[in-house]
Amino acid sequence: QIPFPKENLIPLEVYTKFVIFSAFAFVLISFSQRLYTFMSTAGRLWEFFKIVLSSIILIFAIISFYALVETETFFSRGILFIMSILLVCLSFSFRMILRELERFFLKKGCGIRCVALFGKEKMRRKIASKINKSLYFVMQFESETFDSKKLDSNKVDEIWFTKTDGDDSGREILEYAQIHHLLYRLIPDVSG
């Protein structure tokens, strides 16, 4: 029942600037925490921890900005608390929805990279087992020796070569990949 003067309310422009600054800052902080990497194999707990950390860094950045640059008390401490909870909940929920959509499309074959793997038996087997466990890659062709006649460049997106000592076929594979515009990955052994 006590009349509250309208002049004491914070103008909408202040809130608008604050929201725009916070949104850009949160995206930059999340990017620095590697939350926007492609083909991420990080677990959900790791993502949640990184989102919480990004939110905490943002709150400290806002407090520091108002203490050092604006040199005044932040207009609402409650809004910082609510904002941090909403950031964590909404960001994590949205990322989980995107993760499930990504899995759905990968199972349908969209976005999968087809790999041709060449190299010595022991090392090639280790890498092939990791490729077979991945959602992002599928083994299209596998051989110890490279033969351009056996490989169909239309069915392959990447060529991986496990280089070991004394194996000099890497140059030939690289040239084939360059001619056919395929991604080439060299995987050296321990000594390499």
Side-chain angles (χ1 to χ4, degrees), residues 110-136:
C110 297
I112 291 179
R113 306 283 295 170
C114 296
V115 177
L117 179 62
F118 300 98
K120 298 292 181 220
E121 180 76 25
K122 187 178 178 186
M123 200 166 158
R124 194 179 79 238
R125 289 281 169 225
K126 284 182 183 177
I127 293 166
S129 69
K130 293 197 178 207
I131 289 173
N132 291 330
K133 289 177 188 172
S134 173
L135 288 172
Y136 301 103

Side-chain angles (χ1 to χ4, degrees), residues 42-54:
R44 292 178 178 171
L45 190 63
W46 181 89
E47 270 191 73
F48 182 76
F49 170 74
K50 289 295 185 177
I51 291 170
V52 169
L53 185 62
S54 298

Side-chain angles (χ1 to χ4, degrees), residues 5-63:
K6 195 175 177 183
E7 300 80 42
N8 291 356
L9 290 172
I10 293 155
L12 185 63
E13 298 86 43
V14 174
Y15 279 107
T16 306
K17 286 179 188 174
F18 171 72
V19 167
I20 292 169
F21 166 77
S22 300
F24 278 115
F26 186 70
V27 169
L28 287 174
I29 293 166
S30 298
F31 185 78
S32 73
Q33 295 297 317
R34 301 188 64 199
L35 282 167
Y36 289 110
T37 54
F38 289 109
M39 295 184 179
S40 175
T41 56
R44 292 178 178 171
L45 190 63
W46 181 89
E47 270 191 73
F48 182 76
F49 170 74
K50 289 295 185 177
I51 291 170
V52 169
L53 185 62
S54 298
S55 176
I56 291 169
I57 292 170
L58 177 66
I59 299 302
F60 279 115
I62 291 168
I63 292 169

Side-chain angles (χ1 to χ4, degrees), residues 161-177:
F161 175 54
T162 61
K163 172 128 175 67
T164 52
D165 287 337
D167 193 350
D168 295 327
S169 56
R171 172 68 63 193
E172 184 185 351
I173 298 171
L174 176 60
E175 287 173 1
Y176 180 87

Side-chain angles (χ1 to χ4, degrees), residues 55 80-90:
S55 176
L80 288 178
F81 178 72
I82 293 167
M83 184 180 78
S84 61
I85 290 173
L86 284 174
L87 271 175
V88 171
C89 293
L90 293 175

Side-chain angles (χ1 to χ4, degrees), residues 124-159:
R124 194 179 79 238
R125 289 281 169 225
K126 284 182 183 177
I127 293 166
S129 69
K130 293 197 178 207
I131 289 173
N132 291 330
K133 289 177 188 172
S134 173
L135 288 172
Y136 301 103
F137 300 102
V138 65
M139 185 69 71
Q140 193 69 34
F141 188 81
E142 183 184 355
S143 176
E144 187 167 331
T145 57
F146 177 73
D147 185 4
S148 59
K149 293 178 184 115
K150 289 182 181 177
L151 186 63
D152 185 3
S153 63
N154 296 323
K155 293 182 179 177
V156 175
D157 299 310
E158 300 183 16
I159 296 179

